[in-house]
Protein backbone atom coordinates (compact mmCIF):
# COMPACT_ATOMS: atom_id res chain seq x y z
CA UNK A 1 0.00 0.00 0.00
CA UNK A 2 1.19 3.53 -0.80
CA UNK A 3 -0.12 7.06 -0.33
CA UNK A 4 -0.31 9.58 -3.16
CA UNK A 5 -1.49 13.17 -3.00
CA UNK A 6 -2.29 16.31 -4.91
CA UNK A 7 0.06 19.28 -4.63
CA UNK A 8 -1.86 21.05 -1.90
CA UNK A 9 -2.35 18.03 0.39
CA UNK A 10 1.27 16.88 0.55
CA UNK A 11 1.83 17.46 4.24
CA UNK A 12 -1.33 15.73 5.43
CA UNK A 13 -0.64 12.87 2.99
CA UNK A 14 2.90 12.45 4.38
CA UNK A 15 1.49 12.38 7.93
CA UNK A 16 -0.99 9.69 6.88
CA UNK A 17 1.80 7.66 5.24
CA UNK A 18 3.97 7.93 8.37
CA UNK A 19 1.13 6.85 10.64
CA UNK A 20 0.42 3.88 8.34
CA UNK A 21 4.12 3.08 8.20
CA UNK A 22 4.03 3.14 4.42
CA UNK A 23 5.62 5.25 1.72
CA UNK A 24 4.41 8.16 -0.34
CA UNK A 25 4.51 8.14 -4.13
CA UNK A 26 6.76 10.81 -5.60
CA UNK A 27 4.70 12.97 -7.97
CA UNK A 28 5.99 15.76 -10.20
CA UNK A 29 3.41 18.45 -10.91
CA UNK A 30 3.74 20.96 -13.72
CA UNK A 31 1.78 22.58 -16.52
CA UNK A 32 1.74 22.36 -20.26
CA UNK A 33 2.58 25.63 -22.00
CA UNK A 34 -1.14 26.33 -22.50
CA UNK A 35 -1.74 26.12 -18.74
CA UNK A 36 -3.21 22.62 -18.61
CA UNK A 37 -2.17 20.59 -15.59
CA UNK A 38 0.27 17.74 -15.95
CA UNK A 39 1.59 15.23 -13.44
CA UNK A 40 3.83 12.20 -13.51
CA UNK A 41 3.76 9.74 -10.62
CA UNK A 42 6.50 7.40 -9.48
CA UNK A 43 5.88 3.72 -8.92
CA UNK A 44 2.45 3.02 -7.47
CA UNK A 45 1.29 -0.10 -5.66
CA UNK A 46 -1.58 -2.56 -5.87
CA UNK A 47 -3.42 -0.60 -3.16
CA UNK A 48 -3.31 3.20 -2.96
CA UNK A 49 -4.65 5.89 -0.68
CA UNK A 50 -5.27 8.97 -2.79
CA UNK A 51 -5.39 12.17 -0.72
CA UNK A 52 -6.56 15.50 -2.10
CA UNK A 53 -8.56 18.41 -0.77
CA UNK A 54 -10.71 20.18 -3.31
CA UNK A 55 -9.53 23.66 -2.45
CA UNK A 56 -9.90 24.96 -6.00
CA UNK A 57 -10.48 23.80 -9.57
CA UNK A 58 -6.81 22.90 -10.12
CA UNK A 59 -6.85 20.65 -7.06
CA UNK A 60 -10.00 19.00 -8.40
CA UNK A 61 -8.35 18.27 -11.76
CA UNK A 62 -5.16 16.98 -10.09
CA UNK A 63 -7.27 14.58 -8.04
CA UNK A 64 -8.97 13.28 -11.20
CA UNK A 65 -5.58 12.85 -12.87
CA UNK A 66 -4.23 10.95 -9.85
CA UNK A 67 -7.22 8.59 -9.86
CA UNK A 68 -6.57 7.90 -13.52
CA UNK A 69 -2.85 7.38 -12.89
CA UNK A 70 -3.70 4.75 -10.27
CA UNK A 71 -6.10 2.84 -12.53
CA UNK A 72 -4.42 -0.51 -11.89
CA UNK A 73 -4.64 -0.18 -8.14
CA UNK A 74 -7.34 -0.72 -5.52
CA UNK A 75 -7.92 2.93 -4.59
CA UNK A 76 -9.22 4.51 -1.40
CA UNK A 77 -10.00 8.19 -1.89
CA UNK A 78 -9.57 10.70 0.96
CA UNK A 79 -11.03 14.16 0.36
CA UNK A 80 -10.10 16.07 3.54
CA UNK A 81 -11.83 19.27 2.38
CA UNK A 82 -14.48 18.88 -0.23
CA UNK A 83 -15.03 22.14 -2.03
CA UNK A 84 -18.24 22.58 -4.00
CA UNK A 85 -20.13 20.90 -1.12
CA UNK A 86 -21.98 24.13 -0.31
CA UNK A 87 -23.84 24.05 -3.63
CA UNK A 88 -25.61 20.90 -2.50
CA UNK A 89 -28.95 21.66 -4.09
CA UNK A 90 -30.46 23.68 -6.87
CA UNK A 91 -31.29 26.88 -5.04
CA UNK A 92 -32.42 28.66 -8.24
CA UNK A 93 -33.49 27.34 -11.58
CA UNK A 94 -30.57 26.91 -13.97
CA UNK A 95 -28.03 26.08 -11.28
CA UNK A 96 -26.11 22.79 -11.19
CA UNK A 97 -25.98 20.61 -8.10
CA UNK A 98 -22.22 21.11 -7.98
CA UNK A 99 -21.60 18.74 -5.06
CA UNK A 100 -23.31 15.96 -7.02
CA UNK A 101 -21.33 16.71 -10.17
CA UNK A 102 -18.05 16.51 -8.25
CA UNK A 103 -19.01 13.43 -6.20
CA UNK A 104 -20.06 11.51 -9.29
CA UNK A 105 -16.74 11.90 -11.09
CA UNK A 106 -14.66 11.10 -8.01
CA UNK A 107 -16.52 7.86 -7.39
CA UNK A 108 -15.30 6.45 -10.71
CA UNK A 109 -12.07 4.53 -10.20
CA UNK A 110 -12.12 4.26 -6.40
CA UNK A 111 -13.37 1.57 -4.03
CA UNK A 112 -14.49 3.89 -1.27
CA UNK A 113 -14.16 7.42 -0.05
CA UNK A 114 -13.54 9.38 3.16
CA UNK A 115 -14.50 13.02 3.71
CA UNK A 116 -13.88 15.16 6.79
CA UNK A 117 -16.54 17.44 8.25
CA UNK A 118 -18.17 17.84 4.87
CA UNK A 119 -20.24 21.01 4.91
CA UNK A 120 -23.49 19.22 4.08
CA UNK A 121 -23.57 15.50 4.94
CA UNK A 122 -26.54 15.01 2.57
CA UNK A 123 -23.96 15.29 -0.23
CA UNK A 124 -22.62 11.83 0.71
CA UNK A 125 -25.54 10.23 -1.10
CA UNK A 126 -24.15 11.57 -4.39
CA UNK A 127 -21.06 9.35 -4.20
CA UNK A 128 -21.66 6.08 -6.00
CA UNK A 129 -19.27 4.28 -3.62
CA UNK A 130 -19.35 3.77 0.13
CA UNK A 131 -18.36 7.11 1.74
CA UNK A 132 -17.64 7.91 5.38
CA UNK A 133 -17.66 11.42 6.76
CA UNK A 134 -15.31 11.90 9.73
CA UNK A 135 -15.41 14.64 12.34
CA UNK A 136 -12.40 16.37 13.85
CA UNK A 137 -14.46 17.67 16.79
CA UNK A 138 -12.61 15.49 19.32
CA UNK A 139 -9.22 16.39 17.83
CA UNK A 140 -10.12 20.07 18.01
CA UNK A 141 -11.16 19.53 21.64
CA UNK A 142 -7.77 17.92 22.31
CA UNK A 143 -6.01 20.87 20.72
CA UNK A 144 -8.00 23.34 22.84
CA UNK A 145 -7.21 21.24 25.93
CA UNK A 146 -3.49 21.66 25.23
CA UNK A 147 -3.85 25.46 25.25
CA UNK A 148 -4.20 25.57 29.03
CA UNK A 149 -7.15 27.95 29.03
CA UNK A 150 -9.07 28.29 32.24
CA UNK A 151 -12.69 27.16 31.87
CA UNK A 152 -13.14 28.08 28.16
CA UNK A 153 -16.56 28.70 26.67
CA UNK A 154 -17.04 26.97 23.32
CA UNK A 155 -19.36 28.87 21.03
CA UNK A 156 -20.93 27.95 17.71
CA UNK A 157 -21.51 30.92 15.40
CA UNK A 158 -25.10 29.77 14.81
CA UNK A 159 -27.43 26.99 15.88
CA UNK A 160 -26.55 24.97 12.75
CA UNK A 161 -22.98 24.60 14.03
CA UNK A 162 -24.05 23.76 17.59
CA UNK A 163 -23.78 19.95 17.30
CA UNK A 164 -20.13 20.28 16.18
CA UNK A 165 -19.41 22.77 19.00
CA UNK A 166 -20.99 20.42 21.54
CA UNK A 167 -18.75 17.59 20.36
CA UNK A 168 -15.71 19.87 20.69
CA UNK A 169 -16.80 20.96 24.19
CA UNK A 170 -17.46 17.40 25.37
CA UNK A 171 -13.74 16.61 24.87
CA UNK A 172 -12.97 18.80 27.90
CA UNK A 173 -16.34 19.00 29.65
CA UNK A 174 -16.49 22.71 28.83
CA UNK A 175 -19.52 25.00 28.60
CA UNK A 176 -21.05 25.31 25.16
CA UNK A 177 -23.58 27.61 23.56
CA UNK A 178 -24.36 29.20 20.22
CA UNK A 179 -24.50 32.78 19.14
CA UNK A 180 -27.89 34.25 18.47
CA UNK A 181 -28.51 37.26 16.25
CA UNK A 182 -31.08 39.82 17.34
CA UNK A 183 -32.02 42.62 14.95
CA UNK A 184 -32.07 45.85 17.00
CA UNK A 185 -32.95 48.13 14.09
CA UNK A 186 -32.81 48.27 10.28
CA UNK A 187 -29.02 48.55 10.44
CA UNK A 188 -28.07 47.19 13.87
CA UNK A 189 -27.71 43.51 14.76
CA UNK A 190 -26.64 42.13 18.14
CA UNK A 191 -24.86 38.79 18.47
CA UNK A 192 -24.61 37.18 21.90
CA UNK A 193 -24.53 33.67 23.35
CA UNK A 194 -28.11 32.36 23.55
CA UNK A 195 -27.97 31.18 27.18
CA UNK A 196 -24.58 31.86 28.74
CA UNK A 197 -22.67 35.04 29.55
CA UNK A 198 -19.30 35.66 27.85
CA UNK A 199 -18.07 38.25 30.39
CA UNK A 200 -14.57 37.49 31.75
CA UNK A 201 -14.43 34.19 29.83
CA UNK A 202 -11.98 32.76 27.32
CA UNK A 203 -14.27 32.20 24.38
CA UNK A 204 -13.49 29.90 21.47
CA UNK A 205 -15.75 30.20 18.44
CA UNK A 206 -15.66 26.93 16.48
CA UNK A 207 -17.02 26.21 13.01
CA UNK A 208 -16.52 23.79 10.16
CA UNK A 209 -15.31 26.48 7.73
CA UNK A 210 -13.90 29.97 8.07
CA UNK A 211 -14.24 31.52 4.65
CA UNK A 212 -14.20 35.35 4.69
CA UNK A 213 -14.15 35.34 8.49
CA UNK A 214 -16.92 37.95 8.42
CA UNK A 215 -19.29 36.13 10.76
CA UNK A 216 -16.63 35.40 13.36
CA UNK A 217 -15.02 38.88 13.24
CA UNK A 218 -18.40 40.51 13.90
CA UNK A 219 -19.09 38.03 16.70
CA UNK A 220 -15.67 38.68 18.28
CA UNK A 221 -16.27 42.45 18.33
CA UNK A 222 -19.56 41.92 20.10
CA UNK A 223 -18.17 39.39 22.57
CA UNK A 224 -15.46 41.86 23.58
CA UNK A 225 -18.18 44.51 24.07
CA UNK A 226 -19.91 41.99 26.34
CA UNK A 227 -16.75 41.70 28.44
CA UNK A 228 -15.13 38.53 27.09
CA UNK A 229 -11.55 38.23 28.39
CA UNK A 230 -10.20 36.78 25.15
CA UNK A 231 -11.65 35.36 21.95
CA UNK A 232 -10.16 32.59 19.79
CA UNK A 233 -11.43 31.18 16.49
CA UNK A 234 -11.00 27.59 15.36
CA UNK A 235 -12.25 25.72 12.33
CA UNK A 236 -11.68 22.46 10.54
CA UNK A 237 -11.26 23.96 7.07
CA UNK A 238 -9.33 27.22 6.92
CA UNK A 239 -10.55 28.46 3.55
CA UNK A 240 -9.52 31.98 4.63
CA UNK A 241 -10.28 33.98 1.50
CA UNK A 242 -9.85 37.70 0.89
CA UNK A 243 -7.51 38.42 3.79
CA UNK A 244 -9.70 36.58 6.31
CA UNK A 245 -6.84 35.74 8.69
CA UNK A 246 -5.75 39.38 8.94
CA UNK A 247 -9.37 40.49 9.25
CA UNK A 248 -9.88 38.14 12.20
CA UNK A 249 -6.66 39.20 13.90
CA UNK A 250 -7.58 42.86 13.37
CA UNK A 251 -10.87 42.22 15.14
CA UNK A 252 -8.87 41.34 18.27
CA UNK A 253 -9.03 37.56 18.02
CA UNK A 254 -6.10 36.22 19.99
CA UNK A 255 -5.46 33.18 17.84
CA UNK A 256 -7.01 31.71 14.70
CA UNK A 257 -6.34 28.08 13.96
CA UNK A 258 -7.52 25.29 11.71
CA UNK A 259 -6.66 21.72 10.76
CA UNK A 260 -4.46 20.57 7.90
CA UNK A 261 -7.39 19.57 5.67
CA UNK A 262 -6.29 22.81 4.01
CA UNK A 263 -2.60 23.31 4.72
CA UNK A 264 -2.03 26.70 6.30
CA UNK A 265 0.49 28.39 8.54
CA UNK A 266 -2.18 28.28 11.26
CA UNK A 267 -2.93 24.54 10.84
CA UNK A 268 -2.54 23.56 14.49
CA UNK A 269 -4.28 20.23 14.39
CA UNK A 270 -3.97 17.35 11.98
CA UNK A 271 -6.67 15.19 10.46
CA UNK A 272 -4.10 12.40 9.95
CA UNK A 273 -4.86 10.30 13.05
CA UNK A 274 -8.60 10.45 12.50
CA UNK A 275 -8.22 9.46 8.83
CA UNK A 276 -5.78 6.67 9.62
CA UNK A 277 -8.11 5.21 12.26
CA UNK A 278 -10.90 5.16 9.66
CA UNK A 279 -8.65 3.63 6.99
CA UNK A 280 -7.68 0.84 9.39
CA UNK A 281 -11.39 0.18 9.87
C1 LIG B 1 -21.62 28.23 6.82
O1 LIG B 1 -22.65 27.62 6.82
C2 LIG B 1 -20.33 27.69 7.32
O2 LIG B 1 -20.49 26.74 8.32
C3 LIG B 1 -19.48 28.82 7.84
O3 LIG B 1 -20.11 29.37 8.98
C4 LIG B 1 -19.32 29.88 6.80
O4 LIG B 1 -18.80 29.32 5.62
C5 LIG B 1 -18.39 30.96 7.31
O5 LIG B 1 -18.36 31.97 6.36
P1 LIG B 1 -17.54 33.29 6.61
O6 LIG B 1 -16.20 32.92 7.17
O7 LIG B 1 -17.45 33.90 5.23
O8 LIG B 1 -18.32 34.15 7.55
Amino acid sequence: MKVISTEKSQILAARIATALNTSIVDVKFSRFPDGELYLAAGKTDDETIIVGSVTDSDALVQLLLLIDTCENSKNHLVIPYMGYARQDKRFRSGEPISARAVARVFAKGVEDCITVNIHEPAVLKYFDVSTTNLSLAKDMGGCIGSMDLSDPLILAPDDGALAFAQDVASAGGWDCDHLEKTRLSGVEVKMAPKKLCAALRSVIIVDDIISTGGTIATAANMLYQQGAAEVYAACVHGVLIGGAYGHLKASGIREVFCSDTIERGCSRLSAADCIVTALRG
Side-chain angles (χ1 to χ4, degrees), residues 92-110:
R92 292 196 197 116
S93 135
E95 288 180 348
I97 302 174
S98 309
R100 180 179 66 183
V102 171
R104 277 180 179 164
V105 285
F106 282 151
K108 303 259 179 290
V110 303

Side-chain angles (χ1 to χ4, degrees), residues 1 16-22 49 114 272-281:
M1 178 192 286
I16 291 170
T18 302
L20 285 171
N21 202 20
T22 186
I49 294 157
I114 287 175
D273 285 351
C274 184
I275 290 168
V276 166
T277 305
L279 286 168
R280 285 193 174 126

